[in-house]
Amino acid sequence: MRLAAIDIGSNAIRLQITKVIEYEKLITFKKLQYVRFPLRLGQDVFANKQISTYNQERFLKLMSAYKTLLELYQVDHYYGCATSAMRESKNGKELAQRAQDELGLKINIISGMKEAEMINSVISLDLDDKIYLHVDVGGGSTELNFYYKQKKVASKSFKIGSVRRMEHYDSPKVWNEIEKWVKDELKGHKEKVTAIGTGGNINKIYELSPRASKRKISLENIMRVQDYLRNLTMDELLNRLQLNPDRADVIVPASEIYVHAMMAAGAKNMMVPDVGLKDGINYYLFEKYYPSRGKIFVKNS
């Protein structure tokens, strides 16, 4: 069976096509195709409350290309979902309807809580009984989730993300809200908190840290990378580090959110699993159309 996830974010739009392999009671997700296109819908929405005509047309061209890939790979089931930018846009529903009418491609505009649930479905597979704070920083929103004894015990979505922060559309109030919410949820817990970071920016920060290992990075090293990046010019970010343009301008704003959440929780280390919403979507499709029936699930290979 072949599954596909379309993740329409505020900073980029991703397509991942996955083959589900069952062998000797093991289920493996094998990645067949991954495309990330830097269409920054959030820049329109956070400034003007709607997606421009220009970017609407670019969006529909991109969806047409993605639909062609779905057909070429003979995908059995797909799920297209849009997050912060489209759910806040005055014309987001209209654009999703155009994709349905003109391309036959269904786009679901999901809530921050639904977004968090989908990512959590793959994050929770590897947790033990300790307490974890999952921080998922997108372009327009940040989802925070607490896990304790392998169960999610609290979750909240905040209107702050890498693009919103870069463009200074984040409210000073939201920083205090994050800190208060984290500390309130930790009342009564004496265990040390380990953070879990998801999103393209924390993965790049992990890659840039020479001291990171085994998909884990310390708060100290995140801040070292943050300081290093702050002192580079845009030309150096693009050419010396070879960051994509749509990563180079948001990586420091995103790092500030991760650091703020970790400091509020007193977390000294962050796990950085190489998963995101696209993986959660594929797992959602797998559970819906192909229940595991006790089989052991193995993530992407």
Side-chain angles (χ1 to χ4, degrees):
M1 180 170 65
R2 296 184 180 193
L3 307 174
I6 301 174
D7 169 12
I8 303 164
S10 300
N11 192 45
I13 301 177
R14 301 166 179 84
L15 167 70
Q16 181 165 302
I17 298 174
T18 299
K19 182 178 181 181
V20 179
I21 300 172
E22 178 183 358
Y23 182 69
E24 294 183 348
K25 294 189 177 181
L26 291 178
I27 298 292
T28 304
F29 279 11
K30 181 175 178 60
K31 189 187 302 180
L32 298 179
Q33 181 64 266
Y34 174 67
V35 182
R36 178 186 184 276
F37 188 83
L39 181 53
R40 189 171 278 175
L41 299 179
Q43 208 157 27
D44 282 346
V45 176
F46 306 144
N48 303 310
K49 307 299 182 185
Q50 62 183 2
I51 299 166
S52 66
T53 300
Y54 174 68
N55 276 333
Q56 287 185 57
E57 297 309 315
R58 295 180 74 212
F59 173 81
L60 291 171
K61 285 182 180 178
L62 181 60
M63 291 301 100
S64 178
Y66 282 2
K67 184 184 179 187
T68 299
L69 285 173
L70 297 182
E71 293 169 351
L72 289 172
Y73 276 97
Q74 298 181 313
V75 167
D76 296 291
H77 304 286
Y78 77 92
Y79 188 87
C81 74
T83 55
S84 179
M86 282 189 71
R87 70 175 169 251
E88 292 184 35
S89 174
K90 292 179 181 178
N91 56 359
K93 290 182 180 178
E94 176 187 331
L95 185 55
Q97 189 61 51
R98 285 189 64 189
Q100 175 79 60
D101 295 342
E102 298 175 25
L103 304 172
L105 197 67
K106 182 173 176 55
I107 303 298
N108 303 275
I109 300 177
I110 63 173
S111 67
M113 291 298 101
K114 180 69 173 178
E115 181 180 354
E117 285 174 15
M118 286 189 161
I119 301 171
N120 294 341
S121 66
V122 286
I123 292 293
S124 60
L125 295 171
D126 295 325
L127 300 186
D128 55 24
D129 286 347
K130 297 176 184 176
I131 189 164
Y132 294 91
L133 171 62
H134 173 213
V135 186
D136 181 66
V137 178
S141 66
T142 293
E143 274 64 52
L144 299 183
N145 308 277
F146 272 110
Y147 283 92
Y148 185 55
K149 295 185 177 180
Q150 301 180 343
K151 293 182 179 180
K152 186 172 69 172
V153 294
S155 180
K156 191 171 178 63
S157 180
F158 296 87
K159 278 192 176 183
I160 186 170
S162 59
V163 177
R164 203 189 294 266
R165 173 64 177 155
M166 178 193 68
E167 299 285 359
H168 304 291
Y169 293 122
D170 57 310
S171 164
K173 183 181 176 183
V174 76
W175 295 92
N176 294 329
E177 289 175 349
I178 288 173
E179 184 173 359
K180 183 179 185 304
W181 183 82
V182 168
K183 289 184 175 180
D184 285 349
E185 293 298 332
L186 284 176
K187 285 179 181 177
H189 288 283
K190 296 181 179 180
E191 302 96 326
K192 291 182 179 179
V193 178
T194 298
I196 303 169
T198 52
N201 288 295
I202 194 62
N203 275 281
K204 182 55 66 174
I205 290 168
Y206 169 84
E207 291 172 14
L208 292 171
S209 174
R211 297 175 178 85
S213 62
K214 295 182 180 179
R215 304 304 304 181
K216 183 179 284 190
I217 184 171
S218 68
L219 173 61
E220 182 180 4
N221 287 336
I222 292 174
M223 295 176 75
R224 279 199 183 104
V225 174
Q226 184 185 67
D227 289 340
Y228 170 65
L229 294 172
R230 276 199 181 110
N231 290 316
L232 296 180
T233 65
M234 183 57 65
D235 183 65
E236 289 170 327
L237 291 168
L238 295 173
N239 296 296
R240 183 193 295 180
L241 298 186
Q242 298 184 9
L243 298 183
N244 292 328
D246 65 309
R247 178 73 66 213
D249 59 356
V250 297
I251 190 167
V252 170
S255 73
E256 294 168 349
I257 303 170
Y258 289 110
V259 167
H260 184 72
M262 289 180 74
M263 292 181 72
K268 301 298 183 184
N269 293 287
M270 174 172 274
M271 295 164 53
V272 189
D274 189 17
V275 297
L277 179 57
K278 62 190 185 313
D279 305 287
I281 293 169
N282 275 325
Y283 187 69
Y284 162 79
L285 289 171
F286 167 74
E287 287 288 281
K288 181 177 181 179
Y289 294 105
Y290 194 77
S292 59
R293 296 186 295 277
K295 298 179 179 68
I296 300 172
F297 176 72
V298 181
K299 285 185 289 190
N300 291 346
S301 66

